Amino acid sequence: MTGEAAYRDTVKKFTKILTSLILLVVISTVGIKLIEGWDWLDCLWHTIITISTVGYGEVKPLSPLGKIFTMTVIVVAFATFAYGASTVAAMVFEGELKKVFTVKRMEKMVTKLKNHTIVCGLGRTGQAAIKELYREKIPFVVVEKDEARIEEAREKYPNLIYIQGDATQDETLIRAGVKSAANLIVATANDADNLFITLSAKNLNPRIRIVTRANREENVIKLKRAGATEVILPNVIGGIRMASLAIRPSVVSFLDIVTHHGEVDLRLEEVEVPKGSPFHGKLLRDLDIPRKTGVIVIGIRREDGSFILNPTSTTMVLEGDTLIIIGTKEQAEKLKKLVTSKEAA
């Protein structure tokens, strides 16, 4: 049972218990009124002290029929309380109440997130994705319906924020904060589910960036039509990597370094040139980025989506550009500060 299902089931059980008690009070009060003819307050008082067994004396002497009716109320009240107590005890021992509190705590944490990343699916692909997000300290929420996979992930990431549920359901995506999320990683093993999640997410948040997995190449076009920004074929990527390791191992070793898999803290990063940046209209040689920060600019993505690969010293930087760089994390942070600083002017 998922966390949300446990919550609904618990609410249903408590509602049933509360409804039974209310019905018992109403029926008992009305019954005494019809049998004894007392005023309503006395009838209600008699019902309450009878059901609660506080031991007060009778409000007024009861008729034989009134006594039989009262005894019946007492028996039914005991049965209702016994049912309620056994239900609550079962929920405590079976962990249902813990699940309910966890669901509410997770949903509260999600409401505090903005521009976060949602990862749907905790298979091998999803686990690799959250490992990278965790390393980069990017806020993210995991959506997974398999409780065992969630518990496995929580052992590695104790502060994991997750929603246990079916990501193909709009309600689940909304609970994960899809309307305020910046990115969605769809990593389930089923292309049909990935397509449905992509469609739902794009409908709920047209601005969200969606990176989805596909197992079959013929489904790539369908996923992009559904709203996926990028579609990844893990099997194809794996095959290309194997071939590259065989024929150009040094290149792959270098890529491992800049994609955080090597021992050297060197990485590929992107730095956006915001509106009003002092970088706007300057040539790369005038900005002197390598000397000031230590990073190397290997590409520039223009605002219209075009790329300038291996830009020269005479390449002009414009606001809205995204600089593709190689450097350490500290060097990248220096550039991010410099791109908005007046010192670069």
Side-chain angles (χ1 to χ4, degrees), residues 45 48-57:
W45 175 251
I48 297 301
I49 63 175
T50 298
I51 291 176
S52 61
T53 65
V54 295
Y56 291 151

Side-chain angles (χ1 to χ4, degrees), residues 91-107:
M91 287 190 292
V92 171
F93 287 116
E94 293 173 7
E96 287 186 37
L97 286 180
K98 183 179 179 181
K99 285 184 178 180
V100 169
F101 290 130
T102 299
V103 167
K104 293 291 115 182
R105 181 168 62 87
M106 288 296 165
E107 290 182 353

Side-chain angles (χ1 to χ4, degrees), residues 225-298:
R225 286 175 179 170
T229 312
E230 301 290 346
V231 180
I232 304 300
L233 289 158
N235 293 334
V236 173
I237 292 175
I240 293 173
R241 178 178 171 82
M242 292 174 69
S244 298
L245 280 169
I247 61 179
R248 51 180 80 91
S250 297
V251 173
V252 175
S253 296
F254 175 75
L255 289 175
D256 281 344
I257 291 175
V258 297
T259 54
H260 312 200
H261 297 294
E263 297 179 359
V264 181
D265 183 24
L266 192 67
R267 61 185 63 195
L268 281 170
E269 279 280 4
E270 59 179 57
V271 177
E272 185 178 349
V273 181
K275 302 295 182 183
S277 170
F279 276 34
H280 176 64
K282 300 287 183 64
L283 302 180
L284 282 176
R285 68 185 176 196
D286 297 328
L287 292 172
D288 200 11
I289 293 174
R291 183 184 65 81
K292 292 179 180 178
T293 65
V295 305
I296 300 173
V297 180
I298 62 172

Side-chain angles (χ1 to χ4, degrees), residues 22-36:
I22 292 174
L23 282 174
L24 181 61
V25 170
V26 172
I27 292 172
S28 177
T29 301
V30 173
I32 290 296
K33 175 67 175 177
L34 294 175
I35 295 171
E36 303 295 346

